[in-house]
Structures are given as structure tokens and as C-alpha cells.
Amino acid sequence: KQKKRHMGDTNHFCPVSLKEHFVLRPGLHEHAAKYKEKIYYFSTSEYRDKFLKSPEEYVAHNQPIQAPPLRVYLLGTRGAGKTTCARQIADKLGIFHIQFEDYLQELILPKTKKKIWPHFGEEQEEDDNKIPILSEELEVSSTEKSKQEEELTDKEKAIKANLMDDKELPPEVLDNIVLDWWKKEPFWSTGFILDGFPRTVDEAKYLSERGLYPDVAVYIQVEESDILDRLFPPRLKKWKDKKHKKIEYKKKLK
């Protein structure tokens, strides 16, 4: 309904965000400016003022402005098939696949020596099958365990609490994890598909406040019955096998 507008080199994306953070952040109509008969949109008024002070830094000259690599958020409930889809997409597009929970596990694995599971996870039952040890050995093992806990940094403790009790990761911990995917190689020039993050409204707000915008956000919606049909049979079999081993072990002890 309006006359055709002559957009700037970055179209409706903010040229300052692209130049300084290598992110395609949509600009807003209220933060627009005209330069050399072209209209540029900016994500904030501060970025608009920054552009107007030295516009030549943010416009194309001899070559077109380079666009950032593809960054995808893949969301969905547990068991929806996110990881399977993410692996296929990453392989097809030649980008990195980051499974968020697995990434957290890798960060603390050198200290914990084993994967951390939620308190309600069935893996916790495996401890019942261990052979009883002498009280002296039990005291030694508990002391060693407490020493191991002391060795965890505040960041590692927060990660462990997130994996075990689903506690929110504080922003300062997320800064040490998430920012690298936008600001460091090889993710900087290759791109990635992030599987399983953000998971909460607070995590989404964190990404927005840091200006970490994806190019695509995909939510996989699956019927609960489909998830049950996919996950319940193998988990039931695993549970039965563990119960059977536990009964056999108790018979041996008796």
C-alpha cells in the first residue's frame, strides 16, 4: 500500500548487530534511519545512533555483506525425536549438532567420572545391585565422594543440580556455555543446530537479552500416544531386566 522502499544492504535486519555480533537481528520501524537514499532498520535506538555516527563501517563497499551461518533451535517434548531429526539436519546442511544435555554432561564428566541422571531416573536403581562392602570401606568411599564433591566448581555444581533436579542454570553459567556457540570457532563460521535449548521461558528470555537470535526455531509437536508407543516398550523391557538381575543377585546373596 506504500511506495516501494529502497532497503539498505541488510534488508530489514540490523546492520550493527550483524557487523558487531554476526547475528541477523530484526530491526524495528521505530528505529529506522535513512542513509544515501536507503532505509536501514535497527534493533535498538543505541544501534541507530551508532550507525549514524559512522555509517561507512556498517554498509557494503566493494563486496556484499557476508551473512552469518545458519543457526537453528530445535525444540519439543522429551521423546519427540529431536535428536534423531537434529542429526539428520546437521549432516545434510554441514553444520554442528549440539545436544544440550549431552554437552552439559561432557563439561562435568572429568570430575564426576560418570553421567549424572535425574533423581527420578531408573539408572539410580543400579546402586542396589552392587556388592555390599565393609563398613571401613564404606566410610572411605563416602569420604572420597565428599572430596570429589568439594572439587566441583560453582559452575559445575550448578550444572549438576540442573541435570539431577532440573534447577535453572544461572545467567553467569550460561554465559560460559552458550556464548561460545555464537562468538567462537568453529561454530562462528559453520553454524549449528541446538537440540533441547531453550527449555523454559527464562532461558528464552536470556537468549533474547543477549541478542542470541536463531535463524530458524522449530518445535516438534507429537501426540502423547506416539511418544508412549515409542518409549514405553524399550523402557519397560529394561526395567524388567534390571528387576530380574536384582532378584537373581539377592538369591545369590541368600
Side-chain angles (χ1 to χ4, degrees):
K1 294 180 181 180
Q2 301 180 27
K3 292 181 180 179
K4 188 175 181 181
R5 294 188 174 191
H6 296 284
M7 304 290 286
D9 304 307
T10 55
N11 208 324
H12 64 282
F13 295 107
C14 176
V16 181
S17 295
L18 178 59
K19 173 76 174 180
E20 297 188 354
H21 306 293
F22 212 32
V23 171
L24 290 178
R25 188 173 180 179
L28 303 174
H29 287 279
E30 56 265 31
H31 304 314
K34 201 170 186 179
Y35 176 69
K36 289 187 177 180
E37 301 305 317
K38 290 184 179 179
I39 297 176
Y40 293 85
Y41 293 102
F42 304 91
S43 53
T44 65
S45 59
E46 290 80 8
Y47 281 178
R48 180 191 59 197
D49 297 339
K50 201 170 189 178
F51 174 87
L52 293 175
K53 284 182 181 179
S54 53
E56 289 298 316
E57 291 185 20
Y58 303 103
V59 299
H61 295 288
N62 298 327
Q63 295 180 346
I65 294 177
Q66 181 185 359
L70 183 65
R71 299 172 178 122
V72 182
Y73 293 167
L74 189 58
L75 312 172
T77 186
R78 187 180 297 274
K82 298 188 300 295
T83 301
T84 302
C85 293
R87 286 172 181 163
Q88 294 177 359
I89 294 170
D91 184 59
K92 186 174 182 179
L93 299 178
I95 58 179
F96 286 98
H97 168 221
I98 305 170
Q99 211 292 326
F100 189 69
E101 286 190 7
D102 287 350
Y103 193 88
L104 295 181
Q105 295 279 8
E106 290 174 9
L107 291 176
I108 62 172
L109 196 59
K111 294 281 185 73
T112 59
K113 307 301 180 186
K114 62 179 182 179
K115 285 193 172 184
I116 302 298
W117 300 98
H119 281 309
F120 53 83
E122 66 270 10
E123 278 74 7
Q124 299 300 310
E125 294 183 8
E126 291 179 358
D127 294 337
D128 297 335
N129 297 332
K130 291 182 179 178
I131 299 175
I133 54 179
L134 298 176
S135 58
E136 294 83 358
E137 293 177 351
L138 184 60
E139 290 175 2
V140 171
S141 64
S142 62
T143 305
E144 290 176 352
K145 186 176 180 182
S146 62
K147 285 181 180 179
Q148 185 183 29
E149 292 294 335
E150 290 174 5
E151 292 175 0
L152 295 176
T153 63
D154 291 340
K155 172 187 170 183
E156 291 165 342
K157 288 177 181 177
I159 292 173
K160 184 177 179 181
N162 177 267
L163 292 170
M164 290 187 68
D165 303 315
D166 205 25
K167 290 186 178 179
E168 291 279 350
L169 288 170
E172 57 271 17
V173 174
L174 288 174
D175 284 342
N176 291 327
I177 299 172
V178 179
L179 291 180
D180 288 352
W181 301 331
W182 268 265
K183 300 182 181 298
K184 291 186 179 180
E185 293 289 3
F187 307 104
W188 169 270
S189 57
T190 304
F192 57 83
I193 178 167
L194 182 53
D195 165 12
F197 188 87
R199 302 161 296 183
T200 64
V201 174
D202 289 337
E203 289 175 348
K205 287 180 179 177
Y206 162 83
L207 292 170
S208 178
E209 290 169 357
R210 297 297 191 274
L212 306 178
Y213 292 93
D215 301 295
V216 183
V218 181
Y219 178 76
I220 300 179
Q221 188 171 0
V222 185
E223 295 292 335
E224 290 184 5
S225 57
D226 293 334
I227 295 177
L228 283 173
D229 291 342
R230 183 187 305 157
L231 298 184
F232 185 68
R235 291 197 177 192
L236 179 62
K237 182 180 182 303
K238 189 176 180 181
W239 179 81
K240 286 182 176 179
D241 290 342
K242 284 185 178 181
K243 285 295 180 184
H244 177 71
K245 287 180 182 179
K246 193 172 182 180
I247 292 171
E248 291 298 319
Y249 174 72
K250 285 183 177 179
K251 285 182 180 178
K252 284 183 181 181
L253 285 181
K254 190 174 181 180

